Amino acid sequence: MSSPVMLRSLQTVVPDTVLHQDEVRDVFAAQPGLSRLARRIVTASFDGSGIDTRRTVLDELTLAATEAEPVFFDHATGELLSPATGVRNDVYVREAGRLFVAAAQAALDADPDVGPADVTHVVTVSCTGFHAPGPEYEIVRALGLSDSVQRYHLGFMGCYASMPALRAASQFCAADPEAVVLVVSVELCTLHLRSSEDPDVIVASSLFADGAAAGIVTARPSAAPGLRLDRFHTAIAPQGRKDMAWTIGDHGFEMTLSTAVPQIIGETIVDALRPLYAGGLGAPFEDGRIGEEVRHWAIHPGGRSILDRVQDRLALSDAQLHPARETLRLHGNMSSATILFVLRRILEEEGARDGERVSAMAFGPGLTAESALMTVVGAGGDGR
């Protein structure tokens, strides 16, 4: 009998520069030309975000004095600048490459049973910049992996993209029991923050941040704790295509995140999840007891209102939403990397025990919902 496919050695990396939400709020609210209504929306969006701190690769976004020529933020005037998309992407190429390599190296260092020579596939994920040769190439070169490693990049899919990356890695391992797949996500969302009167843009500016995460997917045996990847499911909401979108503009990538998104997710989440629980967990799902059967919930914290709607619709406890809410509070929404932060927190800080189920779900443009059912293997926390 073949060994189960596992996600293990999850590691996260964040940039050094910390943004405090109240300070960023005041900067955005003070931008010239904003109407009184827009200023009120800025204040409400930032204060109601559920975020205390975020990280950025742009140290000039802090309020600390700098002598460097301003590119994104002019400290002398307090004005947010609007560099061209090419300028933003140049920063992405430099900073994202460093974080891709750091996260990948951290995941390999954390695994006692595999090394660089064992890696057969590299899958990278990002929607906040482009370059070729891409990040999967940089990882192979920087970590000394074999030139024959199969490389894949999932680009511009949005916040849910780490889930199909894990699914693809699982499929590689099902086809080859000796496969070792390095999955790495890096998002530099703050490169695209901008001042606007548009409520959707204001909401996005109050949420997004930078971060990186990586893990190893393999069926090779190990005593290390991790998550067995049981099954995956993809769903598309009947409506919502225009409510969550990600496009490229002349002055950065442009996020649409309408205030209707939480309602759409609330209306569609049950149907989106139902196929995942067909069989053994079907009955408790249908009669509203799924929170009793599946203890841990890794919900992508797209925003506080999204988490509120998911918790209410699925009748989940505060403890079950704690890992998602804490990830949001400490790091903001790091797009595709965020769900890996939540999963790592469940394994390491939420008392996960061997055999307990984990339900993971992330949302993105479309409106697409990617979900997975996992099982904790080898962990033995004290519980909450």
Side-chain angles (χ1 to χ4, degrees), residues 27-92:
V27 168
F28 272 80
Q31 293 308 295
L34 281 188
S35 67
R36 187 176 304 175
L37 174 60
R39 295 180 196 277
R40 287 201 299 267
I41 295 173
V42 167
T43 300
S45 297
F46 278 77
D47 288 350
S49 66
I51 297 170
D52 290 344
T53 55
R54 293 185 269 173
R55 299 294 184 113
T56 179
V57 296
L58 300 171
D59 55 5
E60 67 175 283
L61 289 184
T62 68
L63 298 182
T66 176
E67 296 181 0
E69 184 71 21
V71 178
F72 289 83
F73 179 54
D74 189 335
H75 286 76
T77 65
E79 185 176 356
L80 288 165
L81 305 179
S82 185
T85 300
V87 173
R88 299 174 194 257
N89 198 65
D90 287 345
V91 178
Y92 174 89

Side-chain angles (χ1 to χ4, degrees), residues 17 27 99 112 178 197 200 244 250 254 270 305 330 360 376 383:
T17 301
V27 168
L99 287 170
E178 292 300 310
E197 295 250 333
D200 293 348
M244 188 182 292
D250 293 335
E254 299 175 358
V270 171
S305 56
L330 297 173
V376 177

Side-chain angles (χ1 to χ4, degrees), residues 179-192:
V180 174
V181 187
L182 191 55
V183 176
V184 192
S185 168
V186 173
E187 300 290 9
L188 305 186
C189 305
T190 64
L191 296 182
H192 305 291

Side-chain angles (χ1 to χ4, degrees), residues 51 53-54 207-209 301 327-334 338:
I51 297 170
T53 55
R54 293 185 269 173
L207 294 173
F208 284 97
T327 299
L328 182 67
R329 183 179 71 83
L330 297 173
H331 299 293
N333 181 345
M334 299 165 287
T338 320

Side-chain angles (χ1 to χ4, degrees), residues 125-130 153-161 187 192 245-249 253-254 365:
V125 182
S126 189
C127 68
T128 46
F130 292 101
H153 180 68
L154 277 63
F156 218 65
M157 294 181 74
C159 294
Y160 64 82
E187 300 290 9
H192 305 291
W246 191 223
T247 58
I248 299 177
F253 298 178
E254 299 175 358

Side-chain angles (χ1 to χ4, degrees), residues 134-193:
E136 78 290 348
Y137 172 92
E138 294 186 19
I139 289 171
V140 167
R141 282 286 182 251
L143 272 59
L145 307 184
S146 169
D147 288 354
S148 64
V149 164
Q150 296 183 41
R151 297 181 282 123
Y152 303 87
H153 180 68
L154 277 63
F156 218 65
M157 294 181 74
C159 294
Y160 64 82
S162 285
M163 299 291 279
L166 292 177
R167 181 176 55 213
S170 178
Q171 291 168 343
F172 294 149
C173 294
D176 177 7
E178 292 300 310
V180 174
V181 187
L182 191 55
V183 176
V184 192
S185 168
V186 173
E187 300 290 9
L188 305 186
C189 305
T190 64
L191 296 182
H192 305 291
L193 298 184

